[in-house]
Amino acid sequence: MAMGAPRMNGTAHPLSAIAGHCNAEADEGSMVVVASKDDKHAAEEMSASMQQRLVESSTASTGVDEEDTDAVEMAARMQRRLDVLPGRPHESEPFTIFRVAGPMRDRNRHLYEPQMVSIGPFHRGAAHLRAIEEHKWRYLRDLLSRSSGDGAATLASYTEAARVLEPRARRHYTEPTGHLSARDFVEMLLLDGCFIIEFFLKGEDRASDALIDAAWAMQNVSNDLLLLENQLPFFVLECFYGLATGGLGRDHLVTNLLAKYLTVETPQDAATAKPPDGEIHHILHLYYHWFLPTEDVAPAADNNQEAEDKAFDEWLAKPMDERVPWLLPSASDLKDAGVTFRAKKSPRSLVDVTFRPGDGVLEIPAVESYTNRAAFANLLAYEQSRGRWELQRLMSYVVLMASVVRNGRRDVEILQRAGVFVKGDEETAAFYAHLGELLGGAATAWGPAHDDYYTDLFRDVREHCGRSWNRHRAVLAHDYFSNPWTTMSAAAAVLLLVLTVVQTVYTVLPYYHS
């Protein structure tokens, strides 16, 4: 019979789409097919199979469309986020203000968090710092009153300057500052920047002020201004100082105002202090520049893959004891190996440690005058934030001191007798040891020791300790010449030995003579 609408046991076939297609083919003059019962059964099975395939195909097609739609929407959202990022691809961000991370911060939060005044966005709004916020408004009023006349800077001038600097200032913080609106961020720059300028101006004027006159408050504010997490970009301070003084620039701010306060406990003299070459990042960067004056050192390797691979290969080719140059023996072990400790006279800086291989003298600057541990810890944190290709002078010094005093009291006594620790401060030794432990992972992470400040010194010390004669001489000096009584005993023993030899010679000579 002719195939019109296929029937199964007298009922219409469910695949109407296929039926329509078949009807269309029939209208076009296709041949008539006569099917038996077996043929009808086979056709029914084939139709069911085709129906299942179409359903599966339709379901899969719908799922793909939905996934494609979700992917397009997600890509659009992510693209909007990418479009608002500052800078350009492959352009390094100008990050200069970091939050201290890792074990350095976890065990020493009091060294890195402000105790009295917050500067910048990281600690803004902290409960224990709210008392000083009112003083910031008072200091802003005092700074505005310093200038008068037609050309004087007004509050609107400061506000407009802060508004212009806001996008640039945001890019200097490593953590997002999106929680602060543009208005809030501008207000923060204005209040914090003017507070810093007025704080130092009041100190220069020796004006009567409750905050300045209280010694504990003055010290706490000064400490908080040297914390890495508590900084403003220096160009903000420079701009506000120019408005307050009628156009005086960066050099005048640095040499005539800040040098009087930031050169305390540094080898740099305030009268001869100069700003560093290039950009000043913030107040802590300026303090680091004067705390560790620039020295004539070999230029650091270029930050490229070829130089890094070459340095790493050279590091791998060294013996194990040279791969880890920070493993200097303790003071007691060095003394047993013939090394003599002395306090260095007129050091260029705290890290000016030298070793004389000829006589085995290790000279270390005395550390009793430097007691501001919070500033020291933040100087160290700032140095590590500069990048792996920068010379790590302070980190090298901390690791050296930590290794020298690792045995505790005995090592402290040796350095005390040498004048390095004038007070024999075990707490200071523990501070170095603690920082050394925290830096252990960071030190090994540097890999090649090309950035270690004491590479040559460590090599000379190891060579000196490796000579057996130096060790024997040290044992001799320790056992027989450590005090006048043992020296007299040793001299008497030597004299007795000489007399015995002479007596023996005179006893034997007559026998050979006869």
Side-chain angles (χ1 to χ4, degrees), residues 67 117 154 159 164 183 199 224 244 262 355 397 406 420 481 503:
E67 292 178 1
V117 57
T154 62
T159 304
V164 172
R183 183 187 297 271
F199 176 77
D224 287 346
L262 299 185
F355 179 72
Y397 170 79
R406 68 165 63 98
V420 178
F481 300 98
Q503 182 181 9

Side-chain angles (χ1 to χ4, degrees), residues 233-235 250-251 254 275-283 285-286:
F234 197 81
F235 57 79
R250 184 192 79 160
D251 290 352
V254 171
D277 297 332
E279 180 186 4
I280 301 176
H281 299 156
H282 39 67
I283 288 181
H285 172 209
L286 186 61

Side-chain angles (χ1 to χ4, degrees), residues 211-284:
L211 192 63
I212 300 295
D213 294 341
W216 59 270
M218 176 74 171
Q219 185 61 47
N220 285 340
V221 172
S222 300
N223 289 344
D224 287 346
L225 295 182
L226 295 179
L227 304 181
L228 179 59
E229 300 180 1
N230 217 39
Q231 298 295 319
L232 285 183
F234 197 81
F235 57 79
V236 176
L237 303 181
E238 180 183 348
C239 176
F240 292 162
Y241 183 75
L243 291 174
T245 57
L248 296 179
R250 184 192 79 160
D251 290 352
H252 191 275
L253 167 63
V254 171
T255 58
N256 286 37
L257 184 64
L258 298 181
K260 298 177 182 178
Y261 302 94
L262 299 185
T263 55
V264 178
E265 295 187 337
T266 73
Q268 183 68 56
D269 183 68
T272 59
K274 296 181 180 180
D277 297 332
E279 180 186 4
I280 301 176
H281 299 156
H282 39 67
I283 288 181
L284 181 61

Side-chain angles (χ1 to χ4, degrees), residues 86-93:
R88 292 173 293 183
H90 306 289
E91 180 183 53
S92 178
E93 286 295 311

Side-chain angles (χ1 to χ4, degrees), residues 82-104:
L82 292 174
D83 291 340
V84 298
L85 288 177
R88 292 173 293 183
H90 306 289
E91 180 183 53
S92 178
E93 286 295 311
F95 295 141
T96 57
I97 303 174
F98 296 76
R99 191 189 291 273
V100 182
M104 286 185 64

Side-chain angles (χ1 to χ4, degrees), residues 281-340:
H281 299 156
H282 39 67
I283 288 181
L284 181 61
H285 172 209
L286 186 61
Y287 185 60
Y288 180 90
H289 171 72
W290 286 327
F291 186 81
L292 296 177
T294 305
E295 300 177 7
D296 296 330
V297 295
D302 294 333
N303 188 6
N304 56 64
Q305 189 63 37
E306 183 179 355
E308 185 175 353
D309 291 343
K310 181 180 179 181
F312 186 72
D313 292 338
E314 293 177 352
W315 179 69
L316 284 178
K318 296 180 179 180
M320 181 56 68
D321 60 338
E322 294 186 16
R323 292 187 199 176
V324 284
W326 51 88
L327 296 180
L328 197 68
S330 65
S332 52
D333 292 338
L334 289 174
K335 182 180 178 182
D336 293 340
V339 175
T340 303

